[in-house]
């Protein structure tokens, strides 16, 4: 059965930082006649010249890889044919246990890694087949298996998978599943950073499901008073430039407004930056600034049954900031004690 988006195949756990590493049995000896032809990525079949070369070699041939359930050769059809030419009755094998889709992945990986190279057409066809059976695998993971570039695999993905069949997350070469849209994870990380400023990057990363490096980037953005989302992840707002008008140049006041904003001035204030309570205040102010930049987009995220609760929390937060501002104003209005 093909692996669908969101599911895991029996071989997903075989992903390491070095790539896909299938688990194989110890070497066993089986009768040559017990093996069936391979479901090979070689569309034109075996190469007769390569079989003659192997059959004439005096060295012991490496074991072939066999799918235990079907007894089909996964990798080593040239070696099997060479054993037949030699008149050998048995052959050494290593068994793979998994479904047929995973067996094909092993066949592609092994044929790409050694022996007679696969043609470019064979690798492209193999990548397309793996994308259909393992759509949640990343482009880089499939590229490593098929011997293609990640960019080429991405092009094949767009060809063989319709947009509505694209998974929301992909399994990488290191065995970790990552969402394609990182905006939700970044926004959740921003919330936790403000709520728990002392929490470690790794702890927040584990809670949210993103990398510690991404959490660090979100934290740094908040400290600078920027949106937690990079420009590439922000929803595009429609342009509303009136007909006949032009955009301000970099030297005009419109571009400098953000630099002179109150928050940006506060973020550079050494008195606040040097004290822990001052840094905590800057983080809270930065989080609210980030909310202001993405509030229109976030309105569409709230499900209908949560609207009342979200409104209540938002109004409570607004009331807290209003009382905070009033307390500050009252403090500045108090007469300072005379110096003796």
């Amino acid at each position: 059965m093909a692996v669908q988006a969101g599911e895991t195949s029996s071989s997903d756990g075989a992903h390491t930082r070095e790539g896909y590493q299938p688990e194989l049995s110890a070497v066993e000896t089986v009768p040559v006649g017990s093996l069936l032809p391979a479901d090979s990525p070689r569309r034109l079949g075996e190469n007769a010249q390569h079989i003659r070369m192997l059959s004439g070699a005096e060295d012991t041939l490496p074991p072939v890889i066999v799918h235990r359930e079907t007894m089909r050769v996964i990798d080593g059809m040239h070696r099997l044919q060479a054993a037949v030419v030699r008149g050998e009755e048995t052959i050494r094998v290593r068994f793979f246990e998994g479904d047929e889709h995973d067996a094909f992945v092993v066949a592609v990986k092994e044929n790409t890694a050694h022996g007679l190279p696969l043609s470019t057409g064979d690798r492209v066809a193999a990548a397309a087949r793996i994308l259909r059976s393992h759509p949640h695998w990343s482009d880089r993971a499939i590229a490593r298996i098929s011997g293609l570039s990640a960019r080429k695999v991405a092009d094949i993905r767009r060809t063989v998978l319709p947009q509505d069949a694209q998974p929301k997350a992909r399994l990488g070469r290191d065995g970790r599943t990552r969402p394609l849209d990182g905006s939700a994870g970044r926004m959740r990380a921003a919330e936790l950073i403000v709520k728990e400023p002392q929490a470690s990057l790794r702890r927040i990363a584990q809670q949210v499901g993103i990398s510690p490096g991404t959490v660090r980037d979100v934290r740094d953005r908040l400290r600078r008073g920027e949106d937690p989302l990079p420009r590439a992840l922000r929803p595009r707002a429609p342009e509303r430039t009136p007909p006949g008008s032009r955009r301000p140049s970099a030297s005009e006041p419109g571009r400098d407004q953000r630099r002179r904003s109150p928050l940006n001035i506060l973020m550079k204030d050494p008195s606040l930056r040097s004290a822990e309570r001052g840094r905590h205040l800057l983080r809270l102010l930065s989080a609210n600034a980030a909310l202001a930049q993405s509030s229109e987009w976030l309105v569409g995220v709230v499900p209908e049954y949560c609207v009342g609760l979200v409104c209540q929390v938002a109004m409570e937060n607004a009331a807290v900031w209003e009382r905070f501002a009033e307390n500050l104003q009252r403090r500045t209005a108090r007469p300072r004690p005379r110096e003796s």
Side-chain angles (χ1 to χ4, degrees):
M1 179 179 66
V3 180
Q4 301 299 324
E7 298 178 348
T8 57
S9 73
S10 59
S11 63
D12 282 349
H15 276 276
T16 68
R17 292 193 180 276
E18 291 73 34
Y20 179 68
Q21 301 293 338
E23 295 183 2
L24 304 176
S25 72
V27 177
E28 303 180 29
T29 301
V30 302
V32 170
S34 66
L35 302 183
L36 298 176
D39 180 12
S40 174
R42 300 183 189 277
R43 296 174 300 168
L44 299 180
E46 290 71 51
N47 183 288
Q49 183 178 356
H50 192 60
I51 293 174
R52 287 194 297 270
M53 186 271 292
L54 291 176
S55 62
E58 296 182 359
D59 297 336
T60 302
L61 296 175
V64 302
I65 300 177
V66 176
H67 186 215
R68 189 185 292 275
E69 182 179 350
T70 62
M71 293 301 287
R72 284 189 177 276
V73 175
I74 293 175
D75 174 58
M77 275 302 298
H78 288 105
R79 280 165 277 163
L80 176 61
Q81 295 293 345
V84 173
V85 172
R86 289 179 176 184
E88 297 175 356
E89 296 183 355
T90 61
I91 190 170
R92 298 189 307 150
V93 305
R94 297 184 70 187
F95 284 108
F96 169 77
E97 297 187 12
D99 64 28
E100 294 187 32
H101 297 292
D102 294 335
F104 182 78
V105 172
V106 178
V108 175
K109 180 181 183 298
E110 295 298 324
N111 279 278
T112 302
H114 62 79
L116 189 65
L118 294 174
S119 68
T120 301
D122 288 339
R123 294 198 297 271
V124 169
R129 180 169 169 180
I130 295 173
L131 280 165
R132 293 188 184 96
S133 61
H134 300 74
H136 63 292
W137 282 10
S138 71
D139 295 337
R140 289 185 180 276
I142 296 177
R144 186 70 176 267
I145 292 169
S146 61
L148 298 171
S149 68
R151 179 175 297 182
K152 181 64 176 178
V153 174
D155 292 340
I156 299 171
R157 181 187 295 273
R158 286 190 289 269
T159 302
V160 302
L161 293 178
Q163 188 62 35
D164 56 0
Q166 298 288 349
K168 302 300 182 183
R170 292 183 190 170
L171 180 72
R173 286 163 45 188
D174 59 358
R176 296 182 60 185
T177 300
R178 296 179 176 84
L180 293 181
D181 181 6
S183 57
R186 281 177 169 269
M187 296 304 294
R188 176 58 179 157
E191 295 174 6
L192 292 178
I193 290 170
V194 173
K195 183 179 180 181
E196 305 177 44
Q198 302 302 325
S200 67
L201 300 177
R202 187 170 298 279
R203 176 184 168 188
I204 294 178
Q206 291 174 345
Q207 287 182 280
V208 179
I210 58 180
S211 70
T214 301
V215 178
R216 181 184 293 107
D217 181 68
V218 171
R219 184 189 63 185
D220 293 344
R221 287 174 177 276
L222 291 179
R223 287 178 175 175
R224 296 192 300 265
E226 299 176 0
D227 194 316
L229 302 180
R231 186 177 300 276
L233 293 180
R234 298 176 202 167
R236 293 184 178 179
E239 295 188 1
R240 299 179 180 178
T241 305
S245 63
R246 61 182 182 87
R247 294 182 179 179
S249 64
S251 61
E252 292 178 345
R255 290 295 181 91
D256 295 332
Q257 184 177 1
R258 185 167 54 184
R259 294 181 182 177
R260 297 196 300 267
S261 68
L263 178 60
N264 194 52
I265 296 172
L266 290 173
M267 295 297 293
K268 297 178 180 179
D269 187 279
S271 299
L272 291 172
R273 290 167 61 92
S274 60
E276 176 57 35
R277 286 187 294 178
R279 291 194 295 271
H280 181 62
L281 174 61
L282 292 177
R283 285 192 289 267
L284 293 174
L285 293 171
S286 299
N288 278 272
L291 174 63
Q293 295 179 20
S294 55
S295 60
E296 293 186 5
W297 170 62
L298 290 175
V299 166
V301 174
V302 181
E304 292 293 336
Y305 61 87
C306 290
V307 168
L309 292 174
V310 173
C311 288
Q312 180 180 349
V313 173
M315 287 187 288
E316 290 175 354
N317 289 339
V320 169
W321 280 111
E322 185 176 3
R323 288 195 298 271
F324 178 77
E326 291 173 353
N327 290 336
L328 281 178
Q329 291 174 340
R330 280 196 294 267
R331 192 193 74 174
T332 57
R334 295 172 190 163
R336 295 185 178 181
R338 294 181 179 179
E339 295 182 358
S340 57

